[in-house]
Amino acid sequence: VIITRIKGSDNKNSGERTVQGTDYTVSEAEELLKEDVNAKLQEIAEDYGIEISMVDAKLHGSRVRQTARTNSDLDLVIEYKGDIREDDLFNALNDDPIYFEGIQVDVNPITASDTGTLDKYMERSRKYDEQVLGGDVHHSLPVSGRGRT
């Protein structure tokens, strides 16, 4: 199944950066991807007979920094609550990948008790980007159209 969303021109001048390779802002892309990931979480919960809920999700990585290569994926980290290990949920979420505008989404699940909260994770990610990559690093970019297979 491929779901395609056609981006309108209503937010073109919002001032928020877009996700590299798309016409969507980071905020728009995050909201759309939350819907997709929530649907996958529910499928996984039913398959495993467990409860899982997403706390929040954020995009980061090269497509948000505007440094992506043509074949770069789109990195989404999600904080969740549930009775499944981070590694097991990573495998379940990425076994049948989500695509956003033809770009594969790498979903990285974390829990507050194991990796830390999403806010702490994003703070570490920003610091890493600044220290390793240097310069002005962007963490709010748009993404356009999405599709899931």
Side-chain angles (χ1 to χ4, degrees):
V1 174
I2 296 176
I3 301 168
T4 303
R5 184 175 301 268
I6 304 300
K7 174 78 170 119
S9 60
D10 55 335
N11 292 328
K12 282 288 187 187
N13 297 316
S14 70
E16 185 180 1
R17 299 186 70 143
T18 60
V19 173
Q20 186 177 354
T22 74
D23 293 328
Y24 285 90
T25 66
V26 170
S27 299
E28 291 169 331
E30 286 171 345
E31 289 306 311
L32 294 170
L33 286 167
K34 285 178 189 179
E35 293 173 19
D36 289 348
V37 171
N38 267 323
K40 282 197 85 159
L41 287 175
Q42 294 314 306
E43 290 173 18
I44 293 166
E46 289 175 18
D47 290 348
Y48 287 82
I50 59 175
E51 290 191 25
I52 309 170
S53 63
M54 183 187 320
V55 175
D56 202 1
K58 295 286 181 190
L59 288 169
H60 71 116
S62 64
R63 289 204 178 263
V64 173
R65 290 190 308 266
Q66 301 290 304
T67 60
R69 297 179 185 161
T70 305
N71 63 344
S72 293
D73 62 10
L74 180 58
D75 297 300
L76 180 73
V77 61
I78 67 160
E79 182 180 346
Y80 74 96
K81 293 181 181 180
D83 298 325
I84 185 170
R85 293 176 346 116
E86 290 177 356
D87 290 346
D88 293 335
L89 185 55
F90 175 89
N91 292 335
L93 285 167
N94 292 289
D95 191 38
D96 181 20
I98 294 171
Y99 287 85
F100 190 91
E101 288 293 306
I103 301 165
Q104 185 171 330
V105 180
D106 180 34
V107 183
N108 182 18
I110 63 169
T111 60
S113 60
D114 289 338
T115 300
T117 65
L118 183 59
D119 288 340
K120 292 289 185 187
Y121 183 96
M122 294 305 291
E123 182 180 322
R124 288 191 307 269
S125 176
R126 277 189 290 277
K127 286 180 181 177
Y128 172 85
D129 288 348
E130 291 168 0
Q131 292 172 353
V132 174
L133 303 174
D136 183 25
V137 179
H138 306 289
H139 286 273
S140 294
L141 304 174
V143 178
S144 78
R146 69 176 182 166
R148 184 173 65 168
T149 58

